[in-house]
């Protein structure tokens, strides 16, 4: 018995004697001596640095992040749909799995057909919670996450494609480089005067936070597009997870003052700071009009807030997800 894609086929002596050949994407022939390549993965991801993003340049080997993979070819469009792949060993790397960490190998078709792949990388909890829907006919073409409240469900979900792949490349191992579906927005704060300011809350005004994400691999370039994006004023959680009254004593050396927030790609928003001056009873609100740009998926936007005796400013620092500098222009405010 052998497993090809989602099909298990028994090859008996009578079939061998008949000299019959089964062709196509299922790839079954009676030639038991034909070398078979297990369909394995070598996933990678760009580096990340802090909460709530994935840390590291790979998906790791502890299976906190796993891959859900779909594959299609002309003969059998639904070769695989949302198949779990997890890290098994240093020798076999990532294999099809019946459960996280339990190998259940799948093999390439024998006929040399080219396969298209579309994969999602996430924690198992995120995948179960978001319930992505793969295209029913050609799952490697498209996957949709509907009604994703990204504020409540801060999941770093990534996607990758590898099209026109054959078993002869890399001995059946598919290289997939995963991209992030969202941007990161973060804040640091510094005060020119020691013990002068306590930051109580940071609110992003009119933040797009909930909608449908469609990852489409049916054209020459893969796209990840948000639609029906709902917007609302949202508080950036404090470093301890608080959504009100951080009681963050702003230091004289810049420090992270709130958690990083994963947000869908969108135009930058205004930000309202709620803070208290030393010895004051009433908290004050101040709205920062940030430089206009687009918070692009796969980039980090960290705003350096400075409290001085005469003004409050926010200077953007934009990096790629791996922390390297990028050249992004901002409109004047």
């Amino acid at each position: 018995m052998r497993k090809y894609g989602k099909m298990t086929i028994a090859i008996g002596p009578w079939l061998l004697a008949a000299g019959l050949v089964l062709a196509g994407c299922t790839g079954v022939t009676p030639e038991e001596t034909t070398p078979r390549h297990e369909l394995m993965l070598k996933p990678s991801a760009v580096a990340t640095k802090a909460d709530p993003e994935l840390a590291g340049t790979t998906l790791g080997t502890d299976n906190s992040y796993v891959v859900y993979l779909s594959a299609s070819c002309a003969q059998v469009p639904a070769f695989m749909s949302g198949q779990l792949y997890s890290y098994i060993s240093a020798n076999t790397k990532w294999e099809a799995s019946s459960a996280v960490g339990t190998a259940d190998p799948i093999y390439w078709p024998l006929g040399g057909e080219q396969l298209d792949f579309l994969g999602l990388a996430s924690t198992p909890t995120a995948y179960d919670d978001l319930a992505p829907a793969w295209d029913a006919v050609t799952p490697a073409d498209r996957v949709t996450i509907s009604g994703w409240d990204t504020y409540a469900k801060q999941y770093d979900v990534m996607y990758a494609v590898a099209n026109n792949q054959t078993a002869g490349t890399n001995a059946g191992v598919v290289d997939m480089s995963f991209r992030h579906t969202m941007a990161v927005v973060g804040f640091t704060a510094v005060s020119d005067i020691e013990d002068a300011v306590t930051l109580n809350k940071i609110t992003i005004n009119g933040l797009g936070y909930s909608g449908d994400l469609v990852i489409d691999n049916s054209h020459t370039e893969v796209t990840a597009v948000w639609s029906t994006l709902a917007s609302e004023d949202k508080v950036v959680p404090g470093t301890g997870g608080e959504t009100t009254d951080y009681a963050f004593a702003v230091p004289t050396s810049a420090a992270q003052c709130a958690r990083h927030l994963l947000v869908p790609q969108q135009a930058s928003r205004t930000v309202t700071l709620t803070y208290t001056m030393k010895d004051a009873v009433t908290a004050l609100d101040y709205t920062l009009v940030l430089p206009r740009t687009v918070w692009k998926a796969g980039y980090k936007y960290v705003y350096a807030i400075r409290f001085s005796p005469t003004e409050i400013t926010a200077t953007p620092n934009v990096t790629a997800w791996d922390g390297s500098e990028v050249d992004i222009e901002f409109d004047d405010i």
Side-chain angles (χ1 to χ4, degrees):
M1 301 286 285
R2 283 191 173 176
K3 189 174 183 180
Y4 304 99
K6 284 298 187 179
M7 301 179 68
T8 301
I9 296 178
I11 301 177
W14 64 270
L15 183 57
L16 293 176
L20 299 177
V21 175
L22 303 180
C25 189
T26 53
V28 181
T29 79
E31 298 297 331
E32 288 293 292
T33 58
T34 301
R36 303 299 298 168
H37 288 297
E38 183 182 349
L39 204 165
M40 295 185 289
L41 288 185
K42 184 181 177 182
S44 62
V46 293
T48 61
K49 287 189 173 182
D51 62 295
E53 317 92 85
L54 167 72
T57 57
T58 72
L59 300 185
T61 59
D62 63 356
N63 283 325
S64 58
Y65 278 75
V66 295
V67 173
Y68 299 88
L69 187 67
S70 289
S72 301
C73 67
Q75 292 84 353
V76 181
F79 186 78
M80 286 193 299
S81 182
Q83 169 65 48
L84 170 66
Y85 268 74
S86 62
Y87 182 84
I88 302 299
S89 73
N91 292 328
T92 60
K93 307 301 183 184
W94 290 62
E95 298 181 73
S97 306
S98 57
V100 175
T102 302
D104 186 15
I106 289 176
Y107 293 86
W108 285 85
L110 272 175
E113 291 82 8
Q114 294 180 335
L115 291 178
D116 294 339
F117 294 93
L118 172 61
L120 293 179
S122 69
T123 64
T125 298
Y127 190 83
D128 291 343
D129 194 9
L130 297 175
W134 302 88
D135 187 273
V137 177
T138 311
D141 274 0
R142 192 175 297 100
V143 62
T144 301
I145 301 175
S146 300
W148 182 2
D149 183 338
T150 64
Y151 182 78
K153 299 176 179 180
Q154 285 277 285
Y155 298 135
D156 187 4
V157 176
M158 293 159 280
Y159 66 98
V161 299
N163 295 323
N164 303 318
Q165 303 295 301
T166 62
T169 304
N170 297 327
V173 179
V174 180
D175 287 326
M176 299 189 80
S177 181
F178 284 84
R179 314 178 194 184
H180 298 268
T181 56
M182 288 191 281
V184 175
V185 176
F187 298 90
T188 64
V190 65
S191 174
D192 289 350
I193 302 174
E194 190 171 359
D195 298 327
V197 182
T198 298
L199 182 62
N200 305 110
K201 186 169 60 174
I202 300 174
T203 304
I204 300 178
N205 302 307
L207 177 69
Y209 72 97
S210 179
D212 301 335
L213 173 64
V214 178
I215 300 169
D216 193 321
N217 186 37
S218 65
H219 298 84
T220 54
E221 295 290 334
V222 63
T223 58
V225 177
W226 290 87
S227 61
T228 63
L229 200 61
S231 60
E232 191 175 280
D233 295 350
K234 291 294 184 182
V235 174
V236 183
T239 55
E242 312 92 340
T243 55
T244 57
D245 195 11
Y246 300 165
F248 179 83
V250 180
T252 53
S253 297
Q256 183 175 342
C257 56
R259 286 188 177 178
H260 287 171
L261 193 67
L262 290 164
V263 303
Q265 180 166 304
Q266 61 193 283
S268 56
R269 308 300 187 190
T270 61
V271 172
T272 297
L273 307 177
T274 302
Y275 65 98
T276 307
M277 300 299 296
K278 184 178 181 180
D279 299 326
V281 175
T282 304
L284 302 173
D285 287 334
Y286 183 81
T287 298
L288 289 167
V289 181
L290 301 179
R292 183 166 55 187
T293 189
V294 173
W295 289 334
K296 293 182 179 180
Y299 291 85
K300 292 173 178 282
Y301 300 80
V302 178
Y303 293 88
I305 301 168
R306 176 177 291 275
F307 291 88
S308 76
T310 58
E311 63 179 348
I312 302 173
T313 60
T315 303
N317 176 37
V318 184
T319 66
W321 206 280
D322 63 0
S324 60
E325 295 295 327
V326 295
D327 184 15
I328 293 182
E329 294 184 358
F330 292 86
D331 290 349
D332 294 334
I333 52 177

